[in-house]
Amino acid sequence: MSEFRTIVDEAFKDAGLNAGLEIWCIEKLQVVPVPKSSYGKFFSGSAYIVLNTVLLKCGGLRRDVHYWLGKDAEEVDSATASDKALELDVALGSHAVQYKEVQGYETEKFLSYFKPCIIPVAGVFSSGLEGVSSVTYPVRLLTCKGDRVVYVKEVPFSRSSLNHNNVFILDTASKIFLFSGCNSTIQERAKALEVVQYVKENKHNGRAEVSSIEDGKFVGDPDVGEFWSLFGGYAPITREQPCTTVRQPEVPDVKLFWITLQGQLSQIGTGSLKKQMLSKDKCYMLDCDTEIYVWMGNATSVTERKVFISATEDMLNSQDRYIGTRLTFLTEGSETTTFKSFFDDWPQSVQPKLYEEGRGKVAAIFKQQGYDVKELPEEDCQLFIDCSGALKVWRVDNKEISLLQGREQIKLFSGDCYIVRYTYAENEKEENLFYAWLGRNSIEEDRADAFSKMSDMADSIKGHPVLAQILEGMEPMQFDYIFQTLTVCKGGASSRYKRFISENEFNDETYNEDTTALFRVQGSGPRNIQAIQVDLVSGSLNSSYCYILQAGTSIFTWAGNLTSPRDHVHLDRMLDLINTTRQPISVREGSEPDIFWNVLGGRTEYPREKEMKSYVEYPHLFTCICKEASGDIEVKEIFNFTQDDLTTEDVLVLDCHNEIYLWIGNHANVRSNQQAVTLGMKFLQNDILLEGLSVETPIYIVREGHEPSFFTCFFEWDSSKARMHGNSFERKLAILKGHTPKKETPKRSPQKSCELYSAEATSYSSRNKYLSPNKLGRSVSPSSCAFKPSADVPSTRKSASSSHSVRKLFATSSLDRGDTSYKASLDLHSREITEKLVSQILESSSDRKIGSLQDESTEVDDTLENFPYERLKVMSDDPATGIDATKREAYLSHEEFQEKFGMTKKVFYKLPKWRRNEHKRSLNLF
C-alpha cells in the first residue's frame, strides 16, 4: 500500500469525495484540473480523465474513471492519460472501473454525463487561455447518430457529406437547419433536436431561428430553398451502396487470456468460463470481440498493472482491431455486471449487512448532534398517493368474479386469485389502480382469468388505469398501505382449487375460525399490518416477529425477544381482527408452557438472529424491444435517465428492484396488457443487472399520459410534456419553436363503478368500518402530504405527541398525520405505547431549538440565518447550533448554495425527494 501512496499524482488529492463529475486534462504531460465552466467542452487534440462519483443508498460510493482520447491527441498524451487513470483508481482504493474512450466511439455511459451531447472542438486544451471569439461566425455541418445518446461529429461543409441515413445540423450565423435523412428514425431526429437546442443556447445565446428540412420534400418551402442555396443549389444526394460488412454474432466468441509480467498473452479458456480461473496475483484479458476487459487481481502491483494495460493496448494496435472496440479495466472486486455475465458461477453480491452498517453510522451522527439515540426507526416506505380512497375486492372463480363485502375483503386465501380496484383522488380527478393478486397455491387458469378480467374491468373505465400483477408474499408496500390491515390464510374457495386438492388427495387446509392455525404478524406502522398464516410447526417461529396461535378454545400470543413495543401494538390489533371472543394467553419467548409446544408438534430450532433488511438502490431505466422472430427481448440501459428518455414510440422498463414498471408509449407497438405483462416477465427472467431479480417481482403497467405520482416521482416531471400530441420528433420541434400544443385531460368527477362488475359503489368513507378493529379510520397516507397532496386531502400537520422534540423530528411519521379523524379515533392505549417508543428512540433536551422540519417544502425561506458550509456539514468541527438538522442546506447563502449544488435553491426544492437527498448525502448535509 505504501507504493500506492507514493505514485498518486498530487492533482488527484481529495478526488472522488463528493458525488458528481471531476475532469482533468493532460497538458505538457501534467495533470491539470479543468474548470467546471468548461465541463463538456473537449478539444480533439487533447487527452482527458473524467471521474464520475455516485453515492449509493447503502452509504458507499461507486466511481467510474474514463480517459478520453481526442482523435488528434499526441500518442505520449494518450499514454499519460492511461497511466494517470490507473493512478486515480489507486487513489480511490482500486475500486473504480476504468474505461477507455475514443473520440467518436465513446460509451453511452460516458456520453450520458454530458447531455445532450459533446461536440469536440479542434485544437488543444490550454489552462491559461480563454477561447477567443471569431469575428465571423463559422458555418459548421454536424452529423448526429444515436437514438438514446447522440454521437455528434463535424463533417466537411459539402453536399457530398449529406446522406439519406443520418441526421445533419447546418449551423449558420443566424439560422440552424436540421436535415433529416429519409432513412433516419424518429427517435434519431428527436435526439438531434436536443443538439439543435444545445447549439442554439450555447452558440447563439438562444436567439437563432430553427428550421427543419425533410429529405426529399422541398416543394414550395422557402426554408428548403435557403438550405440548398448554402450548398450552391439543389442536387440529388448520392445513394449509398448496401452495407457489405459482416454482422457481428449476437453471442460473441469469448476467450480468456492470462497476461504475463512480460506482456505476453496465453489463452486459458473459451466459451464457458468459471470464476475460479481468475487468480488474485495475476492479470487476465477477456476478449469478447467488440469488447475487451482487463481484470487485475488485488495482489498485483501498480507497476504490473501498467504493464498489463500497455500490453493489451499494444495487442489491439497490432491486430488492427476496429477503432470502436470497447476497452474496460477492472480491479478485483469492481467487476461490472456485463463482465460477470460471461462467467457461469459468479456469485451475486447482495450485502444487506451494509444497510445495517449505514443505519449505525446515522445513529452515531444523531448522537454526535446531542440526541441519545437508542435505535433508529426502520425506514418507512415513501408512498406518493392518497391511501384514504375506496377499495373493492373481487374473488376469481372459474371465469366468474364475485365482489367481497365487509371484512371478507381484507382476508385473502393462498389458493385463490383476487382483483383489487383502488380508487383515489389526485389532482382534482379520480384515479384507479388495479391489482391482480395471485395466491401462491392458486391454479394457473385462475391466474390467467384474474389478469384477463382485470384488463377488461380497466378497459371499461375512462382513461388508462395503472395495472399491476403481484404474487402472494411479494406485495409492494403500497399494496399493504392500501389495505392497511390484511390477513392471508391458507386454503381457498375457488372451485378449481377445491377440485385440484381433491383429485390429488391433499388435505384441505382452508382456514376458518375453528381451525388450529399459526399467524405471523408483521408491519411497519399502524396503517400497514398483516397477519400471515404459516405452517403449524415451531420452525415457523422467528425471534424478530410476534405470532398468534389459535388452538381450539385457546389462543396464544407469542412475542419474540427481538420484537419492539411497536410490534406488540400490531399484535394486539391483529388479535382483535382474528379473534374477537377468546381471552388470549400472552407468551414471551423463552417462557412458553408445554401446551404451546404441543400444539406446534414439539419444540424445534428456529431463527433467533435479527433479520437483516436489504437496502434498495436507485432505479435503472431500460429500453425493451421484443423480437418478433424469436420472441426474445432486447434490453438496453439508459444511463442518467430523465423524462425526455420516455419516447412515445418505445416501451421502457423502470427497474426499482422490488418492483418494475412497464411504461408504454402511445406510439409503441405493444397494445394489449397481456403483451405488456409478458414483456415484464421476460425482463425479470433475464435479470439484466444480475441483482437476483425474482420472476415473482410485482409488475406495473403504466400508459403514457396517465403516469401516476408513484411513477413520476423517479423523474423531474413536467406534466405539460406528458400531454402533447404527435411523435417524439414533432413534440420536441414544437417545444423548440416555442409553441407546445397540449392534450389537456378533462377533469373528471368520481364515477360509479361499471355495472358489469358491481351494482353498488363503495364511497371513500363507507369502508372505514371494515378496516380496523380499533375503529382506526382511513386518513391521509404518509406520502400524500409528502408529494403533491390532493385538493380534497388536508395537508396541515398537527401535533399528536406531548413531546415537542419528538413531534419535530418525526413530523412525517405515522404519529403526525394532520388528520383529525385519525387522532380522534386512535386507540388511546396504542397511541401511548407508540409515543413512548418514539420518546425512547429520541431523548432530546427541551431547550434545544430544532426549527421547522417541513422537508417537503418547495418554498425558499430567506428568513433563516446563514451559516458557512463548513459549519453545516454533518461532521463539522464547529457545528452550527439551533438549526433544523434535517434541512442543513437551507441555511447556506444563495451564493454558496449555487456553488455547492450547482443549482439555485428554487430549482433544488422542485426536485423529487430522493434526488434532493442524494445531493445532500454527497455533500455531507444529510
Side-chain angles (χ1 to χ4, degrees):
M1 186 61 74
S2 58
E3 176 196 11
F4 286 10
R5 294 195 184 97
T6 57
I7 64 156
V8 173
D9 197 291
E10 184 66 23
F12 298 139
K13 181 182 179 181
D14 298 330
L17 295 182
N18 297 321
L21 284 178
E22 296 172 79
I23 304 178
W24 300 265
C25 186
I26 305 301
E27 183 182 15
K28 298 179 182 179
L29 303 184
Q30 299 297 315
V31 180
V32 178
V34 175
K36 287 184 181 284
S37 59
S38 297
Y39 281 14
K41 183 178 181 180
F42 291 87
F43 288 88
S44 58
S46 297
Y48 293 79
I49 298 171
V50 177
L51 168 65
N52 184 52
T53 303
V54 177
L55 181 64
L56 304 176
K57 278 192 175 181
C58 67
L61 294 171
R62 188 188 70 234
R63 303 182 179 99
D64 292 302
V65 176
H66 306 255
Y67 62 98
W68 184 90
L69 310 178
K71 64 181 181 65
D72 301 322
E74 297 289 342
E75 186 174 338
V76 63
D77 287 341
S78 299
T80 302
S82 176
D83 287 346
K84 293 299 180 180
L86 178 60
E87 290 182 18
L88 176 57
D89 177 35
V90 170
L92 300 173
S94 296
H95 295 304
V97 180
Q98 302 170 60
Y99 301 87
K100 179 181 179 181
E101 308 285 354
V102 179
Q103 180 180 342
Y105 303 92
E106 296 89 350
T107 62
E108 294 196 359
K109 173 177 278 192
F110 178 82
L111 291 178
S112 73
Y113 304 148
F114 308 100
K115 289 186 176 181
C117 64
I118 62 171
I119 305 178
V121 180
V124 178
F125 170 84
S126 176
S127 58
L129 296 176
E130 292 291 334
V132 180
S133 301
S134 174
V135 176
T136 305
Y137 190 87
V139 178
R140 297 188 303 167
L141 182 63
L142 307 173
T143 179
C144 302
K145 297 181 180 180
D147 56 0
R148 290 298 165 189
V149 294
V150 192
Y151 294 85
V152 181
K153 178 182 179 182
E154 185 171 356
V155 295
F157 176 35
S158 168
R159 183 188 292 107
S160 61
S161 296
L162 302 175
N163 60 56
H164 297 291
N165 297 325
N166 296 336
V167 183
F168 295 85
I169 297 172
L170 180 60
D171 180 21
T172 70
S174 60
K175 202 168 189 176
I176 305 172
F177 297 88
L178 180 76
F179 177 83
S180 303
C182 58
N183 296 330
S184 61
T185 66
I186 292 174
Q187 292 97 320
E188 287 175 323
R189 300 177 188 186
K191 294 302 289 186
L193 279 176
E194 295 181 13
V195 180
V196 171
Q197 179 76 34
Y198 173 81
V199 172
K200 178 181 177 181
E201 293 177 354
N202 290 273
K203 301 296 182 181
H204 298 270
N205 295 321
R207 291 191 291 268
E209 186 180 347
V210 175
S211 178
S212 175
I213 310 297
E214 193 168 342
D215 186 8
K217 293 184 180 181
F218 51 87
V219 178
D221 189 336
D223 287 335
V224 174
E226 184 181 355
F227 173 79
W228 286 112
S229 68
L230 294 170
F231 290 92
Y234 173 76
I237 299 175
T238 305
R239 295 276 179 183
E240 292 186 345
Q241 296 296 320
C243 182
T244 57
T245 305
V246 178
R247 187 177 180 182
Q248 290 290 340
E250 293 188 4
V251 180
D253 183 18
V254 179
K255 300 174 184 177
L256 183 65
F257 296 86
W258 167 46
I259 307 177
T260 68
L261 292 178
Q262 293 73 37
Q264 302 298 315
L265 274 68
S266 175
Q267 184 171 336
I268 61 172
T270 184
S272 179
L273 303 175
K274 303 292 184 182
K275 185 177 183 295
Q276 289 75 13
M277 293 180 174
L278 306 177
S279 175
K280 63 172 53 185
D281 60 348
K282 295 180 181 179
C283 179
Y284 302 85
M285 184 186 77
L286 185 66
D287 187 348
C288 308
D289 293 330
T290 57
E291 289 185 300
I292 303 291
Y293 295 90
V294 176
W295 184 92
M296 298 168 285
N298 281 331
T300 57
S301 68
V302 178
T303 303
E304 290 172 339
R305 295 176 192 180
K306 288 184 177 180
V307 171
F308 301 148
I309 292 174
S310 177
T312 304
E313 293 181 331
D314 291 342
M315 182 273 294
L316 293 179
N317 293 332
S318 65
Q319 293 183 359
D320 196 25
R321 286 284 188 106
Y322 170 57
I323 190 173
T325 300
R326 310 288 190 201
L327 188 54
T328 305
F329 304 99
L330 309 162
T331 308
E332 181 181 357
S334 66
E335 297 85 0
T336 63
T337 298
T338 307
F339 177 82
K340 291 187 286 189
S341 68
F342 292 109
F343 294 80
D344 295 336
D345 60 344
W346 203 286
Q348 295 175 356
S349 55
V350 179
Q351 299 177 335
K353 183 179 179 181
L354 291 176
Y355 178 87
E356 293 298 326
E357 290 176 352
R359 285 168 50 77
K361 292 178 182 178
V362 173
I365 291 172
F366 269 101
K367 197 163 187 176
Q368 185 191 43
Q369 297 300 314
Y371 302 109
D372 185 13
V373 180
K374 306 297 184 184
E375 66 171 303
L376 279 177
E378 290 292 333
E379 182 181 358
D380 207 353
C381 172
Q382 183 185 7
L383 304 176
F384 294 93
I385 64 173
D386 171 17
C387 289
S388 63
L391 177 70
K392 302 184 80 170
V393 182
W394 292 263
R395 180 188 291 116
V396 178
D397 186 4
N398 198 20
K399 297 187 181 296
E400 300 295 330
I401 60 175
S402 56
L403 179 65
L404 303 181
Q405 301 288 348
R407 291 195 176 189
E408 291 302 311
Q409 70 176 349
I410 59 170
K411 181 187 292 185
L412 308 181
F413 287 83
S414 295
D416 294 334
C417 294
Y418 299 84
I419 298 171
V420 177
R421 175 181 172 181
Y422 179 65
T423 306
Y424 62 100
E426 183 172 270
N427 297 329
E428 299 183 16
K429 61 182 180 181
E430 180 188 83
E431 298 292 352
N432 287 278
L433 170 59
F434 284 89
Y435 289 98
W437 187 90
L438 314 178
R440 190 162 291 279
N441 297 321
S442 60
I443 307 303
E444 195 62 40
E445 291 84 353
D446 282 343
R447 295 187 178 191
D449 286 344
F451 191 85
S452 175
K453 292 288 186 181
M454 178 181 68
S455 297
D456 292 343
M457 195 181 297
D459 290 341
S460 70
I461 297 174
K462 282 186 178 181
H464 291 281
V466 177
L467 306 184
Q469 175 178 287
I470 57 177
L471 189 73
E472 176 194 346
M474 299 294 289
E475 297 86 355
M477 190 76 77
Q478 180 170 266
F479 181 85
D480 294 331
Y481 269 104
I482 287 172
F483 273 87
Q484 298 195 358
T485 53
L486 178 65
T487 306
V488 180
C489 305
K490 288 178 175 287
S494 163
S495 56
R496 286 172 173 156
Y497 172 78
K498 294 292 189 183
R499 184 166 59 250
F500 173 79
I501 62 173
S502 175
E503 291 174 352
N504 291 274
E505 298 182 352
F506 294 148
N507 292 328
D508 188 353
E509 297 182 308
T510 303
Y511 171 80
N512 60 58
E513 292 184 356
D514 298 324
T515 304
T516 301
L518 179 66
F519 289 89
R520 182 181 69 245
V521 178
Q522 59 191 39
S524 62
R527 301 185 182 280
N528 167 28
I529 312 175
Q530 304 85 44
I532 312 297
Q533 187 177 356
V534 295
D535 292 339
L536 192 66
V537 292
S538 56
S540 297
L541 299 176
N542 187 308
S543 298
S544 299
Y545 295 100
C546 294
Y547 291 80
I548 298 172
L549 176 60
Q550 179 179 298
T553 58
S554 301
I555 189 164
F556 297 88
T557 61
W558 184 88
N561 288 333
L562 300 179
T563 57
S564 67
R566 180 187 65 181
D567 298 320
H568 304 159
V569 173
H570 297 167
L571 177 63
D572 292 340
R573 285 192 57 198
M574 294 310 296
L575 181 64
D576 290 341
L577 187 65
I578 293 175
N579 167 63
T580 58
T581 58
R582 286 166 284 186
Q583 182 65 32
I585 302 172
S586 297
V587 177
R588 291 288 303 194
E589 181 179 5
S591 61
E592 301 88 352
D594 291 340
I595 187 175
F596 177 86
W597 294 117
N598 292 338
V599 174
L600 295 179
R603 185 197 300 261
T604 59
E605 285 301 314
Y606 56 85
R608 298 175 185 270
E609 295 182 357
K610 184 175 182 180
E611 286 198 344
M612 305 296 281
K613 179 179 177 180
S614 62
Y615 59 90
V616 178
E617 285 302 343
Y618 298 117
H620 298 261
L621 186 68
F622 299 86
T623 58
C624 190
I625 302 173
C626 184
K627 299 179 181 178
E628 295 183 2
S630 62
D632 295 332
I633 62 170
E634 181 180 302
V635 177
K636 190 175 185 180
E637 184 169 4
I638 301 173
F639 299 99
N640 297 310
F641 62 84
T642 66
Q643 181 186 354
D644 287 335
D645 290 308
L646 302 176
T647 45
T648 186
E649 296 81 15
D650 295 320
V651 175
L652 296 107
V653 176
L654 185 66
D655 177 7
C656 300
H657 310 278
N658 287 341
E659 55 202 12
I660 67 169
Y661 295 85
L662 235 78
W663 182 90
I664 303 173
N666 288 334
H667 292 77
N669 58 6
V670 173
R671 294 299 175 191
S672 73
N673 293 320
Q674 186 57 57
Q675 279 181 287
V677 78
T678 299
L679 277 178
M681 291 298 296
K682 289 181 178 179
F683 178 87
L684 294 175
Q685 291 166 3
N686 287 352
D687 193 11
I688 306 300
L689 298 177
L690 300 181
E691 57 184 329
L693 266 185
S694 169
V695 293
E696 300 175 351
T697 300
I699 301 173
Y700 286 87
I701 302 173
V702 178
R703 299 279 178 175
E704 181 185 4
H706 302 273
E707 296 87 353
S709 53
F710 55 87
F711 174 83
T712 60
C713 66
F714 296 107
F715 302 83
E716 295 174 28
W717 196 260
D718 182 350
S719 57
S720 65
K721 291 181 180 179
R723 294 195 296 266
M724 295 185 66
H725 285 295
N727 59 40
S728 53
F729 174 76
E730 293 167 340
R731 296 178 186 185
K732 289 185 179 178
L733 183 60
I735 294 174
L736 189 58
K737 292 198 171 186
H739 35 81
T740 56
K742 299 178 182 178
K743 176 184 175 185
E744 296 292 348
T745 304
K747 294 181 181 179
R748 290 176 279 145
S749 58
Q751 59 186 7
K752 294 196 176 205
S753 304
C754 180
E755 294 182 1
L756 175 65
Y757 301 103
S758 172
E760 69 175 82
T762 305
S763 69
Y764 291 129
S765 59
S766 63
R767 58 179 290 241
N768 292 349
K769 59 186 178 181
Y770 302 129
L771 296 179
S772 173
N774 288 340
K775 299 181 181 180
L776 189 62
R778 298 186 67 79
S779 68
V780 183
S781 77
S783 64
S784 58
C785 290
F787 188 87
K788 297 182 180 178
S790 166
D792 299 329
V793 178
S795 59
T796 304
R797 301 180 188 272
K798 295 184 178 180
S799 172
S801 170
S802 57
S803 170
H804 176 74
S805 298
V806 170
R807 288 201 308 270
K808 289 286 187 179
L809 189 60
F810 292 93
T812 57
S813 75
S814 59
L815 291 177
D816 199 4
R817 298 292 183 186
D819 184 2
T820 55
S821 65
Y822 162 72
K823 297 179 181 67
S825 59
L826 180 62
D827 178 82
L828 180 61
H829 176 66
S830 299
R831 185 166 58 186
E832 288 177 348
I833 293 178
T834 310
E835 291 184 9
K836 183 178 179 181
L837 168 62
V838 175
S839 299
Q840 291 173 347
I841 293 176
L842 177 61
E843 297 175 0
S844 59
S845 59
S846 59
D847 60 343
R848 178 179 293 272
K849 179 182 177 183
I850 301 181
S852 171
L853 294 191
Q854 298 297 328
D855 190 62
E856 317 307 333
S857 171
T858 59
E859 299 297 326
V860 179
D861 188 352
D862 288 323
T863 64
L864 295 176
E865 181 182 358
N866 289 156
F867 293 93
Y869 168 74
E870 293 300 326
R871 294 192 64 192
L872 290 171
K873 62 183 183 179
V874 172
M875 304 300 289
S876 173
D877 295 331
D878 180 23
T881 59
I883 65 170
D884 174 357
T886 67
K887 292 196 68 178
R888 297 172 180 274
E889 78 288 348
Y891 297 91
L892 288 170
S893 66
H894 286 281
E895 295 76 14
E896 192 165 16
F897 190 97
Q898 176 78 43
E899 176 189 346
K900 295 296 183 183
F901 285 86
M903 67 185 80
T904 64
K905 288 185 178 181
K906 186 175 181 180
V907 172
F908 173 79
Y909 285 115
K910 288 183 179 180
L911 297 178
K913 183 180 178 182
W914 69 282
R915 289 281 192 195
R916 281 183 271 150
N917 290 344
E918 185 179 19
H919 285 296
K920 289 160 64 174
R921 283 192 188 97
S922 69
L923 293 169
N924 295 318
L925 292 172
F926 186 79

